[in-house]
Amino acid sequence: MMRAGQAANVVPFTDAEETRADDVRRDELRPLYREAVTLVERLHRRLLDVVKDEFDRRGRDDVNAVQALLLFNIGDSELTAGELRTRGYYLGANVSYNLKKLVEMGYLDHRRSRIDRRAVRIKLTEKGEEVRAVVEGLHLKHIATIEQIGGIGPGEFQMLNKALNRLERFWTDQILYRL
């Protein structure tokens, strides 16, 4: 038992020991980080496959999976292409192309902003709303079965979402602060 005024026998790490401990930690993180990056990429592609499959089952080939998710993410909002990006709905490098095609095909309505005539505001048409409803139905079907079939419940999703949000913040900081 330590008495007041006595220092614990704490031996500080030497610089070499700290460096070795940092190297061990990095060696432990390296495969986990790479697996996470691979999973994020693979999951995005798999989500697109799942959406495409749903539309294929319905005999619909009028929109692709990226366009369907874009319409879903727009939802009830009226916004600009720039707002799509800042809200995190930016899917792929061809957002302008996909927006143009969706307008041409009648899924989106567009008009010039009253405030900034250079900006174009977009919103779903009735046809776009139908696509959004298909994706919403797919999400509801997954929500009803993911815990029983996928074995993923609220606790796992909370931990997953927290970790993914932190990873996104880390990557954002790498860009913003040139770390």
Side-chain angles (χ1 to χ4, degrees):
M1 182 159 128
M2 286 189 359
R3 295 183 193 157
Q6 280 186 328
N9 282 338
V10 177
V11 179
F13 282 121
T14 66
D15 288 344
E17 289 171 324
E18 282 186 32
T19 300
R20 278 194 298 276
D22 288 345
D23 289 345
V24 167
R25 187 73 174 164
R26 282 188 201 105
D27 288 344
E28 182 182 352
L29 276 172
R30 183 178 294 113
L32 298 170
Y33 175 81
R34 288 181 176 161
E35 180 181 10
V37 169
T38 299
L39 284 170
V40 167
E41 292 172 331
R42 190 182 319 151
L43 285 170
H44 177 68
R45 286 190 307 272
R46 187 64 64 221
L47 173 62
L48 294 174
D49 291 343
V50 167
V51 171
K52 180 188 181 311
D53 180 65
E54 183 66 19
F55 279 83
D56 287 349
R57 289 175 192 223
R58 293 167 178 263
R60 293 190 68 166
D61 61 358
D62 47 334
V63 294
N64 64 39
V66 169
Q67 292 166 338
L69 287 174
L70 197 53
L71 292 169
F72 174 78
N73 286 325
I74 292 169
D76 295 333
S77 301
E78 181 177 310
L79 34 80
T80 66
E83 289 170 325
L84 277 173
R85 185 171 186 271
T86 58
R87 292 183 186 193
Y89 302 154
Y90 185 78
L91 297 169
N94 298 327
V95 74
S96 295
Y97 169 81
N98 282 314
L99 291 175
K100 180 181 174 192
K101 293 300 284 181
L102 290 167
V103 167
E104 289 172 1
M105 295 186 303
Y107 293 97
L108 286 176
D109 184 30
H110 70 98
R111 60 187 163 91
R112 295 262 173 227
S113 170
R114 283 178 273 128
I115 299 165
D116 181 356
R117 299 301 295 168
R118 296 169 296 173
V120 175
R121 302 204 54 83
I122 57 171
K123 69 177 185 174
L124 299 183
T125 62
E126 190 174 313
K127 198 173 170 183
E129 192 56 47
E130 291 171 8
V131 171
R132 190 204 62 76
V134 170
V135 177
E136 175 66 21
L138 181 62
H139 283 189
L140 293 174
K141 181 173 81 172
H142 291 168
I143 290 166
T145 58
I146 196 158
E147 192 165 17
Q148 297 83 4
I149 297 172
I152 308 170
E156 289 88 1
F157 273 114
Q158 287 172 344
M159 287 177 23
L160 174 65
N161 293 343
K162 186 175 184 178
L164 289 172
N165 277 311
R166 286 179 175 173
L167 182 59
E168 180 186 23
R169 182 75 235 170
F170 174 78
W171 283 343
T172 300
D173 288 350
Q174 297 302 300
I175 296 164
L176 290 176
Y177 304 114
R178 298 180 180 247
L179 300 176

